[in-house]
Amino acid sequence: MSGEGRPTARALNAEGVRLAIVATRWNSDLVEVMTERAMICAREAGTAAPTLVYAAGAVELPVIAQQLARTHDAVVALGAVIRGGTPHFEYVCDAVTYGLTRIALDESTPVGNGVLTCDTHEQAVARSGGPGASEDKGYEATHAALDAALTLQSLKGTE
C-alpha cells in the first residue's frame, strides 16, 4: 500500500456544493467507517447534509453514481473489493473504475473513487480510515470530489 505522493489537503469552503455519497453494503465493517469519514470531510468543508444512498455491491455503484451526478455537483463512491481465488476481482475492479471515470466525464461531475481494491481484508482495514489506519480513503475521495467541484465552478466563471 502506498500513500506516497499524497498531496497535503487544503482547506475547502464547499458551502452550497451539492454532494452525494453512494456506499456499498458489501464489506460493511469497512464501508461504514469510510462513510463516516466521508461525512466528516463534507461537514468540515461546509457542505449541507450530503445525499447518502446505498448500493448492493461495487458493480452497482456506477449506475447509481450516474443518476446522482445528474442532480449533484459532486459524487463519492465508497466500497471495498477484496481479492478472492478467482479472476472475478479483476473484472469487478476494472468495471467499477471504468464506470466511475466515464460518469465523471459524461456528466461533467466529479466522482470521488473511494472503492478499495485490496488483496486482503487487513490491507483494506489499513486504508479505511479507522483507528490506527495508515490511509483514509473515504475522507480523501470526498475531499478530492469537493475540490474538483469547486475548481469546475471557478472555471465556469471564466468562460
Side-chain angles (χ1 to χ4, degrees):
M1 230 165 350
S2 175
E4 200 171 314
R6 179 185 305 127
T8 303
R10 67 182 183 103
L12 299 177
N13 178 359
E15 186 177 329
V17 173
R18 295 166 299 162
L19 174 67
I21 299 169
V22 55
T24 64
R25 290 190 288 268
W26 273 82
N27 296 305
S28 63
D29 60 320
L30 302 164
V31 179
E32 286 175 13
V33 171
M34 294 170 63
T35 302
E36 289 171 19
R37 297 296 299 152
M39 297 296 266
I40 288 168
C41 180
R43 186 172 52 250
E44 288 176 358
T47 62
T51 301
L52 175 61
V53 297
Y54 292 91
V59 171
E60 292 75 29
L61 286 172
V63 70
I64 296 171
Q66 184 172 41
Q67 185 61 39
L68 292 166
R70 293 175 177 153
T71 58
H72 292 77
D73 301 312
V75 177
V76 178
L78 302 173
V81 183
I82 300 171
R83 187 179 301 277
T86 69
H88 184 69
F89 173 85
E90 281 84 8
Y91 301 136
V92 170
C93 295
D94 287 348
V96 171
T97 300
Y98 173 79
L100 295 177
T101 302
R102 195 183 106 204
I103 291 158
L105 296 171
D106 290 352
E107 302 297 333
S108 296
T109 302
V111 178
N113 185 344
V115 180
L116 302 179
T117 55
C118 300
D119 289 326
T120 67
H121 188 267
E122 293 74 27
Q123 287 176 345
V125 169
R127 297 178 72 201
S128 69
S134 58
E135 297 182 43
D136 191 352
K137 294 304 179 187
Y139 192 101
E140 292 170 10
T142 304
H143 192 278
L146 291 172
D147 187 53
L150 292 169
T151 299
L152 288 174
Q153 286 178 353
S154 73
L155 291 173
K156 288 179 183 174
T158 62
E159 295 176 352

